[in-house]
Amino acid sequence: MYICPMYTSELIKGTLKTIILNLLKERGRMYGYEITQTVKDMTAGKIQITEGALYPTLHALEKNGELATEEEYIGKRVRKYYTITEQGTQTATEKVNEFVDFIRTMKFLLDIEPRVSNA
Amino acid sequence: MRNISDDELDFILNDIKANGVVIEDLQNNLLDHICCVIENEIPLNEDFYKFYKQILPRFFKKELKELQVETEKLLTFKNYYAMRNTLKITGIVSALFTILGASLKVLHYPGAGIFIQLGGILFSLVFLPLMIVLKFKDEEKKVDKFVLSLGFLIAMISFIGVLFKLMHWPWASVLMISGISAFVFAYVPLYYFTRVRREEIRFNTTINSVLMMACGGLIFAMFNLGYGQKITNEEHSLTKLKESSEHLIDEINSFDTISTVNKNQFVKLKQELYEFKVEIQKTNKK
């Protein structure tokens, strides 16, 4: 709904938490704008997390205890850095495993033959 | 990279607030994010206010307040699931307790009171208030939120009344009669007239209204099926007679100087009074 990538929003709806948790698991401390830019760069613009989806999800993950925050003053404004907690790391692993399983099931269901990559 | 001045920072923050974002954390996040976007993406010599207006729609579909709403929704999502689970559990437990309590009461076994009380309390003080909260959250139309919540509130009052009646506690009749009257004469018409105009739910609304009116009407009618006035009056006079004869006997017993003969006569009188009372009771039963 809020993600406007090259992929349709229906396709990647529900993976936002997995993306954020896994990114923070790998990169450590990040702030909102940095997260959106990193995802955009990593996927060559194919997945662009919009701010409208990012911040509600970050707040929910923080409330659930999956993310911790640190605040830093940049001049007059406050910057909130997000880090993953132990519980968040566990959730990230579970979500990635679930997603891998989902892809396998979809491959089988849609009878997709893996293509030879151009890379 | 362009630096944001203090005035520009205040302008952005005030605009975020004016657009209905009230969570302070979210305000700070958005402020930092907008500043980052401007600092990194503003073209050389571009006007700040013009560029700000240009990038703001990135953050929403219709209005900035969506972020506030979406955040609140996600924050309460966890509680929402917990509430739904509690609703299911209390619903099943209260139904089981009430059925068990009613069966024990019919069979005159011990423990009936406790089960009925627990079932009634769970149903009227946990299940129904949770239903009100969830209906308020789930229903899209404001009028439905209020009408259905009113219905559950009336049901709460009625069920507390029934619970009080079963346990022989005071104010039971007042609670029951006011609850059922409000249900039959206020809630059912309100339910019907607020929903009947909507084509897609007209049929269900009519069926539900008829069923509710029939059930409510039947229960309401049952309030008049108590003891008749004649029986109530006779019972009252019997109680008075019993009280006066007991008082008389007490007085007789307190006389130390009274002769045995007289005392025997009084005992005989007491016996006659008792037989008279039994005779009246028999006549009433006939």
Side-chain angles (χ1 to χ4, degrees), chain A residues 82-94:
Chain A
Y82 292 89
T83 46
I84 197 161
T85 61
E86 207 173 304
Q87 188 192 328
T89 313
Q90 205 179 324
T91 313
T93 314
E94 281 167 17

Side-chain angles (χ1 to χ4, degrees), chain B residues 228-246 273 276-281 283-284:
Chain B
Q229 193 65 37
K230 197 181 159 194
I231 294 173
T232 317
N233 287 344
E234 277 170 3
E235 202 178 328
H236 184 68
S237 55
L238 264 176
T239 318
K240 272 202 155 181
L241 185 66
K242 190 185 165 195
E243 277 169 8
S244 60
S245 61
E246 275 170 359
L273 271 170
F276 178 59
K277 186 180 151 187
V278 171
E279 195 61 36
I280 292 173
Q281 278 176 336
T283 321
N284 277 335

Side-chain angles (χ1 to χ4, degrees), chain B:
Chain B
M1 194 173 105
R2 185 191 191 283
N3 281 328
I4 307 278
S5 70
D6 284 355
D7 284 346
E8 288 167 344
L9 201 74
D10 289 338
F11 169 79
I12 300 170
L13 185 61
N14 289 334
D15 194 51
I16 292 169
K17 285 179 187 171
N19 274 299
V21 178
V22 289
I23 301 173
E24 207 185 327
D25 245 11
L26 192 60
Q27 286 174 358
N28 287 334
N29 270 332
L30 285 175
L31 178 68
D32 184 47
H33 198 108
I34 293 168
C35 289
C36 286
V37 173
I38 295 171
E39 283 169 350
N40 290 297
E41 297 173 23
I42 192 166
L44 204 66
N45 299 326
E46 175 77 296
D47 178 55
F48 163 82
Y49 298 101
K50 197 179 160 193
F51 187 69
Y52 172 73
K53 276 196 174 174
Q54 206 180 309
I55 58 152
L56 200 64
R58 275 197 204 177
F59 291 78
F60 53 83
K61 277 182 120 180
K62 281 182 188 166
E63 52 178 355
L64 196 65
K65 207 184 169 183
E66 281 168 24
L67 267 94
Q68 165 90 23
V69 176
E70 189 72 15
T71 308
E72 279 172 352
K73 211 169 132 187
L74 282 173
L75 291 178
T76 50
F77 200 61
K78 211 179 166 186
N79 295 341
Y80 179 77
Y81 266 97
M83 276 160 80
R84 284 198 82 92
N85 284 335
T86 318
L87 186 84
K88 271 185 209 164
I89 294 163
T90 48
I92 294 167
V93 171
S94 62
L96 285 175
F97 276 12
T98 314
I99 291 167
L100 187 65
S103 311
L104 290 172
K105 193 148 182 113
V106 169
L107 297 166
H108 299 287
Y109 285 155
I114 290 172
F115 280 112
I116 290 175
Q117 272 182 57
L118 281 174
I121 288 167
L122 269 178
F123 187 73
S124 48
L125 299 179
V126 182
F127 182 84
L128 288 173
L130 274 176
M131 279 293 278
I132 293 176
V133 177
L134 289 173
K135 278 287 161 197
F136 232 87
K137 197 173 160 55
D138 288 346
E139 289 297 327
E140 282 178 10
K141 285 189 177 266
K142 250 187 184 174
V143 68
D144 286 347
K145 282 179 197 274
F146 283 102
V147 171
L148 292 173
S149 302
L150 176 76
F152 289 122
L153 189 71
I154 290 171
M156 261 174 76
I157 296 168
S158 311
F159 275 97
I160 291 172
V162 171
L163 182 69
F164 272 44
K165 192 85 181 169
L166 283 171
M167 301 319 297
H168 306 289
W169 289 337
W171 299 100
S173 299
V174 176
L175 285 167
M176 275 170 75
I177 291 173
S178 53
I180 299 291
S181 308
F183 180 76
V184 175
F185 299 114
Y187 176 69
V188 180
L190 198 66
Y191 175 86
Y192 180 75
F193 287 113
T194 52
R195 295 166 77 96
V196 76
R197 284 180 194 166
R198 278 176 268 164
E199 190 67 48
E200 70 279 11
I201 52 169
R202 182 174 291 164
F203 182 72
N204 278 347
T205 301
T206 313
I207 298 287
N208 289 345
S209 303
V210 170
L211 282 174
M212 286 193 291
M213 190 57 106
C215 293
L218 271 174
I219 298 169
F220 189 73
M222 279 180 194
F223 287 125
N224 248 351
L225 299 177
Y227 297 117
Q229 193 65 37
K230 197 181 159 194
I231 294 173
T232 317
N233 287 344
E234 277 170 3
E235 202 178 328
H236 184 68
S237 55
L238 264 176
T239 318
K240 272 202 155 181
L241 185 66
K242 190 185 165 195
E243 277 169 8
S244 60
S245 61
E246 275 170 359
H247 179 68
L248 193 63
I249 289 159
D250 286 343
E251 262 187 17
I252 293 162
N253 287 336
S254 66
F255 292 144
D256 291 335
T257 50
I258 202 157
S259 69
T260 320
V261 182
N262 281 343
K263 205 168 183 175
N264 285 339
Q265 275 180 345
F266 280 120
V267 170
K268 203 180 167 190
L269 181 66
K270 183 186 164 188
Q271 183 65 32
E272 278 174 1
L273 271 170
Y274 178 73
E275 280 166 7
F276 178 59
K277 186 180 151 187
V278 171
E279 195 61 36
I280 292 173
Q281 278 176 336
K282 275 182 186 171
T283 321
N284 277 335
K285 277 179 187 170
K286 279 173 190 173

Side-chain angles (χ1 to χ4, degrees), chain A residues 66-80:
Chain A
E66 279 151 344
L67 294 183
T69 55
E70 290 165 26
E71 285 181 354
E72 242 176 57
Y73 273 89
I74 311 288
K76 254 182 92 178
R77 68 178 197 258
V78 184
R79 178 166 292 167
K80 207 169 173 182

